[in-house]
Each structure stands twice: as C-alpha cells, then as structure tokens.
Amino acid sequence: MFWASFNNAHKRYQNGGWAREVTQADFAISKDISGVNMRLAANGIREMHWHQQSEWAIVTDGVCRVTILDEQGRPQVADVKTGDLWFFPPGLPHSLQGLGPTGSEFVLAFDNGMASEFNTLLLTDFMAHTPPEVLAKNFGVPAEAFKNIPLDNLWIFQGQNPGPLADAQKSAQAGLALPPHPYVWAFSEQAPDRQNKSGSIKIVDSRNFNVSTTTAAALVTVKPGGVRELHWHPNADEWQYYLKGEARMTVFDTGPAAATAGFPRGRYRLCEEEPRALRREYGQYRLGVPGALQVGPLCGSLTVRLADSYSAAAGDAAPEHQC
C-alpha cells in the first residue's frame, strides 16, 4: 500500500493534548519517514525532549511556541503560526506549547521510518533516573529541592499562559548569543515559486531554510480540475500529507503494476471544546516507483509534500523528471 491514514492511528490522550503516529510498523513502504499528528490545548506543553532523528514540522492550526537549545546552549524561542515550519536537528533539546484560545495542531516528520513519538528522550526521565544528591551537586542547590520531581515522565501536560514572546526570549537569552540560523521558517508568507492557471507550488529547503539539511518540502495547490503533471524523483522518497480538499493520485511501477487512490475530504469532531478539523490523509511512494499523477477534483485541493529525505545544498534543487 502506498497510502495510509492518521484516522486509523491510535490517539494517545493526556491532560494538555494528544498525538497519533504512523510509522513503518503500520506503513511498510515508508522506510525513511515517519509522521505524527499532534494537538496541544491552550497552554498545553510537550515537555522538553530530544530525538535521535531530525524533526520537521508544519503548523496546521493555531500558534505554537517553540523553545530549542543548540549544541552550544544558545536558545531560540519563537511563536510559529498556521502554515509555518520548524526544523530541529537530531539531539537538540526542545519543547512546544500551544497558545491562544484553541492551542495548536501540527504535523511532524522524522527522517527515519521507525522513529516514534512515544519513545523520545524526556527531561523528566533524565531527572528521575538521577539521584537527588547528584542533581544537587549539578545545580548547586540542596537535594531537598528535588523531593517533588515526577517519577513518571510527563510527555504532554497542562501548563500556564507563558506571557509575551519578548519576555520569554529575554529570559531564555540570559546573555547568550542566538543560534547562527533560525530553527523556524515563515512558510505561510513565502511567495509561490511557480504558479499558473492550474495551481501553484512553494518550495522550502536548505537554500532558504538553512538549518533544514535533511528535509526538503513543497506546498502544492491544485485547483479544481487541475493536474500535477507526470513526474518522478530519481533519488528521494516523497511523503505527502493532504491538508484540504480532495484529490486522486496514481502511482505505477515497472510492468503492469499501477494503483490509484482517492484522498477524500471529510469532517469529524475532535472533542466538544475544540474546533472541527479536516480529515487528513497522506500518500507516499518510494524510489523505484517511477511515476505519479495527481488530479484535483471539482472541489479543489491543497496538498503538501511534507518531507523528501533529500535537502538541497549548495544551490542544487531536489531533482525530478517530468513528462
């Protein structure tokens, strides 16, 4: 199967938000990319953690405050709005918080098909496995200060209003320099790279989003009745996530093998106090499947190609062949 659906994935709920994931365990063809759909409630916090993989994300609803430290401890705190991106290289600690009246929803892509959102390296785990007397020496405070640290990881929890962004940035800065390149990208404000009567495309890779060295992406809009022309990628997998509308995609392999799938629009209620969300599905095809055809039906389609496991470098665009 070259497609899968987040709607079939189990949701893990906690006070402050939820998440669901699709990995290679469920989506065998997706060996290089796994994905997570997460919602943080207003002031809900995804606790500070880090991964062995890079993390690429697009915000699909609301505003998310991200905090990250680079290898030299230089901090960045930023508010990422709907349509914008972040990218965190492997090993860098980061935390996320939903803002505003409804919090934030986003999609994450890890550059390893078996990477799991539910198996990350968490700050609470680090603390709970370190003796209080060692923590006391490390932080220069009495061991008594750690008597109430959680013994189970928090993962997602309900926090408080973090206040203005400028205050958070000033507090985190503490005299340190900023990272040389930002870890967020205002993709929603980027102009289309190409457009015509049938749609448009915006591309983001390491040429414009410098830190995104393992992941390149394209936001593709296909108007009603439009077609994304026949093409293939000779050196990178493609992972897609359908944000809005309806579409049909055909992929074919050598010989008679071919398959067509529809990606319909539908609605479901997340929970009583949260807004409605579009049903989301995504498809992926791998190196060795030569062709793909996408057709936008009459209601229109907004498509995002979330993550190729290739990122442009030194001005080289991610190649593809077209007919």
Side-chain angles (χ1 to χ4, degrees), residues 5-71:
S5 175
F6 275 127
N7 293 322
N8 297 330
H10 170 71
K11 276 186 182 178
R12 178 181 173 184
Y13 284 93
Q14 281 190 213
N15 185 23
W18 55 258
R20 52 187 176 178
E21 68 179 11
V22 175
T23 71
Q24 193 179 11
D26 322 285
F27 191 17
I29 195 173
S30 190
K31 59 183 177 63
D32 290 332
I33 300 168
S34 64
V36 176
N37 176 208
M38 181 180 292
R39 174 169 279 279
L40 297 176
N43 303 322
I45 297 173
R46 172 67 169 96
E47 73 159 297
M48 180 161 278
H49 63 285
W50 53 100
H51 311 273
Q52 294 175 303
Q53 300 79 29
S54 67
E55 175 180 309
W56 185 98
I58 183 168
V59 177
T60 58
D61 182 61
V63 180
C64 185
R65 179 163 296 178
V66 303
T67 302
I68 182 171
L69 302 175
D70 73 3
E71 298 89 341

Side-chain angles (χ1 to χ4, degrees), residues 67-69 73-77 166-176:
T67 302
I68 182 171
L69 302 175
R74 295 173 296 192
Q76 182 181 12
V77 184
D167 292 349
Q169 291 172 328
K170 182 178 179 180
S171 177
Q173 208 67 37
L176 297 170

Side-chain angles (χ1 to χ4, degrees), residues 33-251:
I33 300 168
S34 64
V36 176
N37 176 208
M38 181 180 292
R39 174 169 279 279
L40 297 176
N43 303 322
I45 297 173
R46 172 67 169 96
E47 73 159 297
M48 180 161 278
H49 63 285
W50 53 100
H51 311 273
Q52 294 175 303
Q53 300 79 29
S54 67
E55 175 180 309
W56 185 98
I58 183 168
V59 177
T60 58
D61 182 61
V63 180
C64 185
R65 179 163 296 178
V66 303
T67 302
I68 182 171
L69 302 175
D70 73 3
E71 298 89 341
Q72 299 182 37
R74 295 173 296 192
Q76 182 181 12
V77 184
D79 290 349
V80 187
K81 65 182 182 299
T82 300
D84 291 347
L85 316 176
W86 69 73
F87 180 88
F88 301 146
L92 299 192
H94 54 276
S95 63
L96 314 169
Q97 184 168 12
L99 301 180
T102 61
S104 181
E105 187 168 339
F106 42 88
V107 174
L108 310 174
F110 301 120
D111 61 353
N112 182 324
M114 290 305 296
S116 173
E117 166 61 25
F118 309 131
N119 187 29
T120 54
L121 300 159
L122 302 171
L123 182 60
T124 46
D125 277 342
F126 197 175
M127 302 287 280
H129 286 85
T130 306
E133 60 272 18
V134 175
L135 292 173
K137 289 182 179 180
N138 184 81
F139 292 103
V141 298
E144 182 75 4
F146 302 99
K147 66 179 182 180
N148 294 322
I149 62 173
L151 298 181
D152 296 313
N153 70 69
L154 296 179
W155 186 57
I156 290 176
F157 61 97
Q158 190 61 48
Q160 298 178 343
N161 189 325
L165 175 61
D167 292 349
Q169 291 172 328
K170 182 178 179 180
S171 177
Q173 208 67 37
L176 297 170
L178 290 171
H181 299 292
Y183 293 99
V184 302
W185 180 255
F187 198 35
S188 64
E189 300 172 18
Q190 181 178 321
D193 291 88
R194 294 178 65 182
Q195 59 183 349
N196 59 28
K197 63 180 182 180
S198 296
S200 64
I201 183 170
K202 297 196 298 185
I203 298 172
V204 58
D205 54 36
S206 59
R207 294 171 300 176
N208 47 10
F209 190 18
N210 301 119
V211 299
S212 189
T213 55
T214 63
T215 306
L219 181 67
V220 179
T221 302
V222 181
K223 294 182 179 180
V227 176
R228 172 67 176 98
E229 68 176 314
L230 289 163
H231 67 282
W232 60 96
H233 304 273
N235 65 354
D237 289 4
E238 177 178 306
W239 192 88
Q240 293 186 0
Y241 179 75
Y242 288 81
L243 283 167
K244 184 180 179 182
E246 302 176 17
R248 183 178 301 153
M249 182 170 69
T250 298
V251 299

